[in-house]
Amino acid sequence: MANFVSIIRIFIALASVLLLFWHTTASYITAFVLAVIAFSFDGLDGYLARKLNEESPLGAVLDIMGDRIVENAFWIVLAMLGYLSSSQVINAIFPIICISRAFTVDSIRSVAFSKGYTAFGKTTMQSSPIGKFICASRFMRILYAVAKIAAFGFLILAHTPAIETWEHVQVLNMTGIILAWIAIVLCVVRGLPVVFEAKNVIK
């Protein structure tokens, strides 16, 4: 069940971002709801795994895979639509950073995985208390997830046709952009301990 939730949320997120290309109020409201569901499922799969005693290395891999597909899909589409900045260069920076970080971190974790380590949980590859807190703690994972869904949600709402004419729509848009910067900074920060502690598992 936990693995099923990890997989199904990928399709929910993809449906959400595809709806953003139809610039109608209905499509954007639906995209917003689906985005919230997709990110809510990120916490649900972990809860089910613990509750149903389904924690496994495969589940950890599926969880990370889902995270990568979902977040990169949103960063890429929002950048394509120009919602992250009025500058094309800055728009491109967000997905480039996120994708580069994903390839770097996941390449290291793939080696760690082959040696019996996981990204999170009791067998996490992080050895230092700081590394465990930044990368593997539930607090940091939830904080990063909340920053992403808040950023994506505010930006989707700010560009919803029925709301675009609202007098204070710029407040929504600016809030979304600020949250997007917070999310991308957290993305980088959470990847640094994996790189710094890679020597502990790659020898």
Side-chain angles (χ1 to χ4, degrees):
M1 180 61 70
N3 291 346
F4 174 76
V5 171
S6 296
I7 294 171
I8 197 67
R9 76 185 184 95
I10 296 173
F11 294 97
I12 293 173
L14 293 178
S16 176
V17 295
L18 288 175
L19 284 169
L20 297 178
F21 290 100
W22 282 269
H23 202 69
T24 67
T25 300
S27 66
Y28 269 60
I29 294 299
T30 305
F32 174 81
V33 172
L34 291 178
V36 172
I37 293 173
F39 279 91
S40 298
F41 274 20
D42 183 24
L44 179 61
D45 59 2
Y47 171 78
L48 289 173
R50 292 186 297 273
K51 192 74 174 177
L52 303 176
N53 197 27
E54 294 180 352
E55 292 178 290
S56 66
L58 174 61
V61 170
L62 288 176
D63 183 43
I64 294 173
M65 180 188 75
D67 288 343
R68 298 293 179 263
I69 295 173
V70 171
E71 65 184 349
N72 282 307
F74 276 98
W75 286 126
I76 290 169
V77 170
L78 290 175
M80 288 176 63
L81 294 171
Y83 292 171
L84 298 167
S85 171
S86 58
S87 166
Q88 288 184 333
V89 174
I90 295 178
N91 268 299
I93 284 175
F94 286 88
I96 288 173
I97 289 175
C98 191
I99 292 169
S100 299
R101 181 263 195 188
F103 274 116
T104 302
V105 168
D106 292 347
S107 296
I108 295 170
R109 282 176 173 168
S110 66
V111 177
F113 182 74
S114 69
K115 298 186 177 184
Y117 295 98
T118 56
F120 316 114
K122 297 176 182 178
T123 55
T124 177
M125 65 168 283
Q126 305 308 141
S127 57
S128 71
I130 295 177
K132 288 180 180 179
F133 175 73
I134 294 175
C135 295
S137 72
R138 192 172 300 175
F139 171 78
M140 286 300 293
R141 293 179 68 191
I142 292 174
L143 178 64
Y144 182 41
V146 169
K148 286 185 293 185
I149 184 53
F152 302 152
F154 271 100
L155 289 171
I156 291 172
L157 289 178
H159 293 88
T160 300
I163 300 176
E164 279 183 322
T165 56
W166 183 44
E167 182 182 357
H168 303 293
V169 71
Q170 286 302 320
V171 175
L172 285 177
N173 189 55
M174 185 54 64
T175 302
I177 291 173
I178 291 171
L179 288 168
W181 279 105
I182 292 173
I184 208 66
V185 168
L186 285 172
C187 175
V188 174
V189 169
R190 294 190 71 243
L192 292 177
V194 177
V195 176
F196 291 150
E197 297 183 21
K199 64 181 183 296
N200 297 330
V201 293
I202 301 176
K203 297 181 181 178

